[in-house]
Amino acid sequence: MTPRPVLSVDFGTTKTYFSKCPAEDPSPVSVDFGDGRDGLLTAILYRDGKDPLIGQTALDEFGEATTGERAGLRLVTNFKPEIALSGEARTAATDYLAAVLAEAGRQRLDVDPSVRQVLFGVPSEADDGYRAALKRVAEAAGYGTPEFVDEPKGALLYHLKQREISVDQALGGVLVVDFGGGTCDFALLEGGRVTHSWGDMLLGGRLFDDLFHQWLLDQNPGLEEDLKARGASYFVGTYLCREAKEFFSRSQARDRTTAVSKVFPRYGRFTDLTWEEFVERGTHYSPSRLIRQAFGAGAGNTLSDGERDLFLWFRKSLTEGLRSKGIANERITIVILSGGSSLWPFVPDILKEELPHLEDQAILRSDRPYAVISMGISVLPALKRKFARVRDALREELPVFIDEEIRPLLESRCALVEDRIVAWSRATIFQQGVGPVLERFRAKGGSLSSLRKELKKQVTLREADLRKTIGDALPLLLSGLRGEARELLAEWFSAHGIALPKRDFPLSADPAQRSDTILSTRAIGVEGMFDALQTVLGGLLTAVTAVLSGGAGTALIASGPVGFVLGGVLGASIAYLLARYGKEKARTFVEDLNLPPAVAGLLIDEGRIAALQEELSTNLRAHLEERLAPTRSQLEGHIQNLVLDEMNALNEINSF
Amino acid sequence: MADRYTPFGLVEPGDRVTVEREPVLRDETVVSKGLVRRVRS
């Protein structure tokens, strides 16, 4: 069956949002019904002999109506939570949703449900009764048979689609805070599923509209009576005060030290509104008669009078929910803010105070938090198809990625570490230790056995320094590797339109810090390095001894008058020892001989010293390469696992 | 008028309105719509 484009509906208690998304491309758009704002108020105004009005127009028409006009009007709001329980609420919901389609038709908006897959958001706590009622309502209103998606999941999907969170983060503990005009809902998602949800049916942005209305009246004595006389109370109290509130909220989000003023020609003015006074008023807020009447117009909830602290109300809604559900703070790794009221700067402030383990970037909010749930819901089918394609592509490209990108990277990082260690060994062990000892031997002479001891001592003396050098060089491999590998992975994932997993490679060079250490001085084999050094130095001495024991006579005689005498004596002595006591005795004799400087200089000449230095470097490098080979393949394995985990996570998303 | 003003509440053809806010224009292009309200008797 050919996938159809999607129409999604976030059917809210206060406001309802509609979004559309193409079948294959996760690019949702929020439907604008002509007022430049996302969504429509969930309100319907029945009028005698006329078609009902919906949305903000319904509320405004009722609010502006004279007492005489109101006789022919009936405003119904807050019907959405009641649809499973009340026939009147079901009728209002059906009429409202049908009127939305009619309005879309009048405005020539392309939202035809008959050619679309229709998805409705449902509150996470919605039971079967609610779902059945919503299905009946949607069908009767002309939306066909809808499918349901948990509302908080919409917010998660939106930010996933925006690549603001990675797939693995989406499967962690995500707290969605939906703070809208009329209600404040919380939901914890784990593994992409809602595990807990709670909320407050009264706490919403309209209380802040009311706060600003009271603030205006306080600053403009006599205005209330004046507005009443001119029939402008509703207009000023809702529309203008909401505008002022949003203006104030935006300016305070930028700078809370700025005072804000706003003039309403003919309707008074706000003068020098400060954050401090806003906090003071919010802390001691009492709902006005106007707002209590507005709450009374809907079914169910009523707002009692009396003072309350709006900030504490929000804080307690959060913390008491967490406590009563037994949710430890650490289970939450990401917070997503949705709903227009989440734009208030105090919202992230309180979240940071109550969830101090979260970094700033773990609290997400889109520029338009109003419509994220409906947009996220609409994107689900296209996102699932996209993730299935990405998963297949990652699987196919993984071997090539490892071979062409990761392997060369690992080789170059290992070479860097090898270079560091070899350069240090040359500069310290050879040039400061072995080299001067050999030069001294050349200048002053001595026995080969004492030279052997001295060389060994010079190497051993630097053991601690060598360990430290290796300890310092190894993190270079991991830190550089982490950064560069993540960059390559990010580029690869980005080419497929997904964000890089947040989790890091579980690797460490410090065994004291982590249990999953794969690199340590032990891994690189310090002891082995000493063996490699000693082997080369031992090889030098063996070669020199062999020269003395074997061809020494010839070599020394050929070297000149001194060598002629020495060569003669040595040759005769060694020949005697070999015949009388055997090879081993002869070797010991040679090594213990106290050689004069002239002979020492001839035996260990500058060419031999230079060759020794090169041989030491080559041997060390070979040893390091051999020791780092398993580490390299382990790192390859880690990166491979990271990609395999991501593929599994993409599978998980597909089960949403 | 609809291209220059947003109605507050319901405004139908023939209704008398008050201009609550003038539109903002630049070179005859609407930058920000004005606002009208129906005059009620």
Side-chain angles (χ1 to χ4, degrees), chain A residues 47 61 64 69 267, chain B residues 10 20-21 37-38 40:
Chain A
R47 303 181 297 169
E61 181 64 14
E64 289 274 274
E69 287 172 329
Y267 303 121
Chain B
L10 182 67
E20 295 289 353
R21 190 170 57 218
R37 270 173 76 214
R38 181 150 55 98
R40 292 167 194 268

Side-chain angles (χ1 to χ4, degrees), chain A residues 315-326:
Chain A
R315 190 187 293 274
K316 278 189 162 178
S317 297
L318 167 70
T319 54
E320 286 178 3
L322 291 174
R323 194 165 41 248
S324 68
K325 306 284 179 189

